[in-house]
Amino acid sequence: MKGIILAGGTGSRLHPATLTVSKQLLPVSDKPMIYYPLSTLMLAGVREILVISTGRDLPQFRRLLKDGSQLGLDITYAEQEHPRGIAEAFRIGANHVGDDSVALVLGDNIFHGPKFSDILHDNAQDVQGCVLFGYAVKDPERYGVGEVDADGRLLSLEEKPARPRSNRAITGLYYFDNEVVDIAKNLSPSARGELEITDVNRHYLRRGRARLVDLGRGFAWLDTGTPASLLEAGQYIRMLEERQGVRVACVEEVALRMGFIGAGACHRLGETMTGSEYGRYVMDIAREFASAEGAVEPVNGSTG
């Protein structure tokens, strides 16, 4: 499975903070926002990832993430000149997807909850059609909403319905089989001139090939599109990290635990950030992992 992070747009609801920097590079707690969707793809086992953003912002993403090799990834980049809808990502990323299935995640969506890695990994196996991820909300009329049967098959999709048929909002994480590339190529723009992801989902729905996975109670799905929601997301992450002593979306730790890099490589990444709590955490995790795995040599002398 290939991965796409859609990190374009102007971030106008966050102006003036985003007048000179991409929204997805703003900090949520102690790390850039894009670390959260990136870690989501990594937890699903995805290692070939395309980051789509504006021509203005792509150099900053490259400086931050490089080619991904330091995390055991292959990260490439593509420009979305103007925001023309989520589904345009499949036109832009057609060559990247190739003959594979694809996971698309929006760059401003944060997911956190129990057994999330298992949910991601299990549903990424042999994708047939599309897999959407639903989240219970108290105000479903503000979202795209999915109605399902007892087996999780999608029965209907509504966009901001006045009378929702369920309280399951469609989140900004999507799995598709390879057909999505052709679907997007042949998609007609909406009245707003955009290629709507809901139209793609409805294509699969009409053919009985759409599923909705309920993320369940105790899960958090956070949007970071406004100053208030950005602040709330940072506070939520900070509270979790301080109480549990772990870091959410620490991409170096995810890469280590997923087997993408070794403990030595992880430790060296932490060494580049020794002036921060985050960097020291990465080094501690690397040492703990090496000790648990019975490393013969000190972790900071390992080749990873």
Side-chain angles (χ1 to χ4, degrees):
M1 174 177 276
K2 301 290 179 60
I4 296 177
I5 301 175
L6 185 57
T10 61
S12 58
R13 290 186 296 167
L14 286 165
H15 285 174
T18 50
L19 287 174
T20 59
V21 65
S22 168
K23 171 176 65 175
Q24 290 85 5
L25 291 170
L26 295 177
V28 178
S29 187
D30 60 350
K31 61 193 74 71
M33 188 186 299
I34 198 171
Y35 273 30
Y36 296 88
L38 177 60
S39 68
T40 294
L41 294 180
M42 293 169 69
L43 288 170
V46 177
R47 301 180 71 168
E48 295 178 65
I49 298 169
L50 175 69
V51 176
I52 298 176
S53 189
T54 66
R56 182 200 73 172
D57 296 320
L58 280 174
Q60 298 175 54
F61 285 110
R62 286 193 177 97
R63 282 195 292 272
L64 175 66
L65 302 175
K66 305 180 178 63
D67 65 359
S69 59
Q70 73 280 8
L71 297 171
L73 306 175
D74 179 6
I75 299 178
T76 53
Y77 302 88
E79 180 179 351
Q80 184 182 42
E81 186 177 356
H82 301 291
R84 297 190 182 93
I86 295 171
E88 189 186 27
F90 302 114
R91 290 187 178 183
I92 296 171
N95 290 336
H96 168 72
V97 175
D99 296 325
D100 292 321
S101 57
V102 59
L104 170 68
V105 62
L106 304 186
D108 60 357
N109 274 218
I110 296 174
F111 299 86
H112 180 262
K115 300 186 182 299
F116 188 38
S117 180
D118 292 340
I119 293 171
L120 291 169
H121 189 269
D122 291 348
N123 286 283
Q125 307 307 307
D126 191 28
V127 175
Q128 300 290 328
C130 81
V131 181
L132 309 178
F133 295 84
Y135 182 77
V137 295
K138 66 179 181 180
D139 50 355
E141 64 277 0
R142 295 180 52 227
Y143 302 91
V145 175
E147 177 192 13
V148 299
D149 64 15
D151 296 322
R153 272 189 319 227
L154 205 56
L155 298 176
S156 69
L157 277 171
E158 302 174 284
E159 192 66 31
K160 297 181 179 179
R163 296 181 179 178
R165 297 181 183 180
S166 86
N167 67 341
R168 292 299 187 271
I170 306 299
T171 70
L173 173 64
Y174 315 84
Y175 288 173
F176 294 100
D177 63 15
N178 189 257
E179 189 182 359
V180 72
V181 174
D182 287 332
I183 294 171
K185 284 180 180 177
N186 295 309
L187 202 63
S188 298
S190 68
R192 299 186 300 174
E194 296 186 354
L195 300 177
E196 303 285 357
I197 193 67
T198 300
D199 291 337
V200 173
N201 297 337
R202 283 179 177 147
H203 178 94
Y204 285 101
L205 173 62
R206 287 192 296 269
R207 299 172 63 187
R209 301 179 61 220
R211 288 194 299 118
L212 183 68
V213 176
D214 189 353
L215 293 175
R217 298 183 64 175
F219 207 94
W221 170 49
L222 306 174
D223 186 6
T224 52
T226 66
S229 61
L230 180 62
L231 178 60
E232 290 168 1
Q235 291 171 333
Y236 172 83
I237 297 298
R238 190 63 179 171
M239 179 194 69
L240 281 176
E241 294 181 341
E242 288 183 349
R243 290 192 176 186
Q244 298 181 356
V246 298
R247 272 181 158 73
V248 179
C250 175
V251 292
E252 295 84 3
E253 180 180 7
V254 174
L256 175 63
R257 297 195 184 280
M258 292 296 294
F260 298 168
I261 61 174
C266 183
H267 192 276
R268 287 193 292 276
L269 290 172
E271 287 176 340
T272 66
M273 301 175 283
T274 53
S276 68
E277 291 183 8
Y278 183 94
R280 292 189 289 272
Y281 174 83
V282 171
M283 289 189 290
D284 288 344
I285 287 295
R287 284 191 290 265
E288 291 172 9
F289 190 87
S291 177
E293 294 294 308
V296 176
E297 60 181 333
V299 68
N300 56 0
S302 169
T303 61

